[in-house]
Amino acid sequence: MEINSPIVIDDTTLRDGEQTAGVVFSRDEKIRIAKTLDEIGVGELECGIPAMGSDEQASVRALVDLGLNARLLTWNRAVIADIQASLDCGVQAVDISLSVSDIHIGKKLGKSRSWVREQLKVALGFAKQHDLYVSVGGEDASRADLGFLLELLEIARAEGADRFRFCDTLGILDPFTTFAKVKYLADRVDLDLEVHTHNDLGMATANAIAGIRAGARFVNTTVNGLGERAGNAALEEVVMALRHACRVDPQIDTGRFVELSRLVGRASCRPVPEWKAVVGEKVFSHESGLHADGVLKFPGNYEGYDPAEVGLQRHLVIGKHSGGHGLKERLERLGVSIARSELEVLLQRVRGVAEKNKKPLSDEELLVLVA
Ligand SMILES: [Zn+2]
């Protein structure tokens, strides 16, 4: 499926990311995160919820005052007071969110579909009177009746919305269903689409890509996939998937991904697991004899892209699964040359130590074995 380029990344680390249970960013942290996202070329930042109160409003204002290139959006319920609070912060773009599934409309709000239609018209009308750029957010859109969604998209388009956000709020779709639902809407309404996906079944990134392939031109991400419950589609995963799996260049300076990831990891008190896709410290570590040998011959044998592309380094570790080629290369770098006949014996001893310690050997441990 042809991709509707250019894709615009709307990163919501500062909104959905901070909404993660137990995560709080200080104002300084928000400013550093926003600046870095802006510097690497992220086009939009969802930067807060002004209706939460004066503290949040001051943070949003501080972000507006930075004069970033990125468009700043705030998150709002479809309520005039929320949108007014956003206007007071000086933003020029808003996400207006409303529940669109019958489950949410009935069991959360105790309202009806006609109430939702009315609320959309009133809130959107108010926002457009004030010249705001508006993304209408369909909360729980993944469980909504498609016919009703279509009706809402028509209302949104007619009332001047700039785009519609399809939210898999609970993260319960698979990529094929996401594709089908987004395509259904894209084929029927002349309105830009955005996808907002959650990772409850481990498919947030896959669903975001599926939505883009189905025609969405905007995608929500968070750094490290931070977000409600199991999190959102990770910025670094979506961008690298677009570049390497979809062959579309989202124009992001990915070389600072690790720096950004660690910044958000510290600010959220959620350290990044070593095996985290794209930015984990160990995702370019090779130990097994076959892989290390392959990478030494040509990195492209076992690496889909150069680790430097995201700010990481390759590690060839010596451990239980190492083979002769990797071991010999490591010893040479340490200034030790070893006869072929001795290599096999040393390899057995390396395995013994790695098994005992349940981890690879440090250079010092290796040198002790050689001696
Ligand atoms: Zn969300």
Side-chain angles (χ1 to χ4, degrees):
M1 187 75 190
E2 200 60 17
I3 286 180
N4 248 335
S5 191
I7 302 300
V8 179
I9 310 273
D10 176 7
D11 188 90
T12 181
T13 304
L14 298 175
R15 197 278 298 172
D16 212 323
E18 203 197 24
Q19 223 168 294
T20 313
V23 170
V24 181
F25 295 135
S26 70
R27 192 163 307 154
D28 281 352
E29 286 165 343
K30 285 188 182 182
I31 288 173
R32 282 192 63 197
I33 293 167
K35 277 185 170 170
T36 310
L37 286 164
D38 185 55
E39 283 163 13
I40 68 169
V42 172
E44 295 189 352
L45 310 181
E46 190 167 70
C47 66
I49 310 173
M52 276 171 55
S54 54
D55 247 29
E56 180 87 349
Q57 288 163 16
S59 286
V60 172
R61 251 183 242 117
L63 295 173
V64 171
D65 289 343
L66 293 175
L68 304 175
N69 290 318
R71 171 189 273 154
L72 297 182
L73 292 94
T74 53
W75 190 94
N76 304 262
R77 291 166 300 177
V79 168
I80 287 181
D82 280 28
I83 301 165
Q84 185 61 55
S86 287
L87 281 166
D88 294 343
C89 293
V91 293
Q92 287 163 1
V94 289
D95 175 58
I96 298 179
S97 177
L98 70 176
S99 289
V100 295
S101 68
D102 289 332
I103 299 174
H104 269 208
I105 296 168
K107 295 196 186 299
K108 184 181 98 169
L109 302 174
K111 303 283 190 191
S112 63
R113 286 185 182 184
S114 56
W115 180 88
V116 173
R117 285 188 202 97
E118 252 346 275
Q119 207 63 20
L120 172 58
K121 285 182 195 161
V122 170
L124 186 50
F126 179 79
K128 289 318 277 187
Q129 266 170 30
H130 291 83
D131 290 328
L132 287 167
Y133 174 97
V134 180
S135 170
V136 170
E139 191 182 5
D140 205 21
S142 51
R143 291 193 298 177
D145 174 73
L146 271 178
F148 180 55
L149 260 192
L150 205 53
E151 251 186 79
L152 292 177
L153 259 75
E154 255 323 323
I155 294 172
R157 190 196 58 77
E159 302 285 327
D162 296 276
R163 68 189 201 231
F164 181 84
R165 176 182 291 182
F166 178 93
C167 300
D168 184 15
T169 303
L170 273 68
I172 42 90
L173 294 186
D174 70 35
F176 300 96
T177 319
T178 304
F179 182 92
K181 285 178 186 271
V182 174
K183 179 101 173 43
Y184 178 90
L185 299 173
D187 285 347
R188 285 164 180 81
V189 185
D190 185 18
L191 183 62
D192 264 328
L193 293 174
E194 172 177 19
V195 276
H196 178 94
T197 58
H198 275 275
N199 205 34
D200 299 71
L201 298 175
M203 291 192 276
T205 299
N207 286 337
I209 296 294
I212 289 168
R213 284 215 180 262
R217 218 163 59 72
F218 296 81
V219 59
N220 278 162
T221 63
T222 59
V223 178
N224 298 337
L226 198 64
E228 289 272 14
R229 305 179 314 279
N232 290 59
L235 169 70
E236 58 280 3
E237 294 174 15
V238 170
V239 168
M240 294 307 278
L242 282 172
R243 185 185 282 173
H244 290 284
C246 310
R247 304 282 163 195
V248 169
D249 189 358
Q251 307 281 326
I252 302 287
D253 173 10
T254 58
R256 294 182 64 191
F257 270 171
V258 167
E259 171 200 339
L260 176 63
S261 161
R262 302 306 179 261
L263 170 63
V264 171
R266 282 192 305 274
S268 60
C269 298
R270 303 240 167 158
V272 183
E274 292 178 338
W275 60 88
K276 163 75 183 62
V278 181
V279 290
E281 193 56 46
K282 298 277 174 73
V283 294
F284 287 96
S285 287
H286 308 280
E287 180 183 309
S288 93
L290 266 179
H291 284 225
D293 176 64
V295 165
L296 285 168
K297 285 174 176 152
F298 170 59
N301 281 331
Y302 283 105
E303 290 173 357
Y305 53 86
D306 187 337
E309 230 183 282
V310 293
L312 278 176
Q313 287 181 335
R314 175 179 310 125
H315 303 281
L316 289 175
V317 304
I318 300 299
K320 180 185 169 186
H321 304 98
S322 292
H325 189 179
L327 180 57
K328 196 162 183 302
E329 198 267 351
R330 171 62 67 87
L331 289 172
E332 275 165 10
R333 272 207 291 121
L334 294 171
V336 178
S337 63
I338 184 167
R340 250 191 116 77
S341 55
E342 290 172 291
L343 202 57
E344 192 50 40
V345 178
L346 182 61
L347 211 49
Q348 291 308 326
R349 297 179 65 196
V350 163
R351 284 185 188 139
V353 174
E355 274 184 24
K356 188 165 109 304
N357 297 342
K358 291 181 86 69
K359 60 177 192 190
L361 278 72
S362 66
D363 287 347
E364 291 71 28
E365 287 169 321
L366 193 56
L367 287 170
V368 168
L369 275 192
V370 174

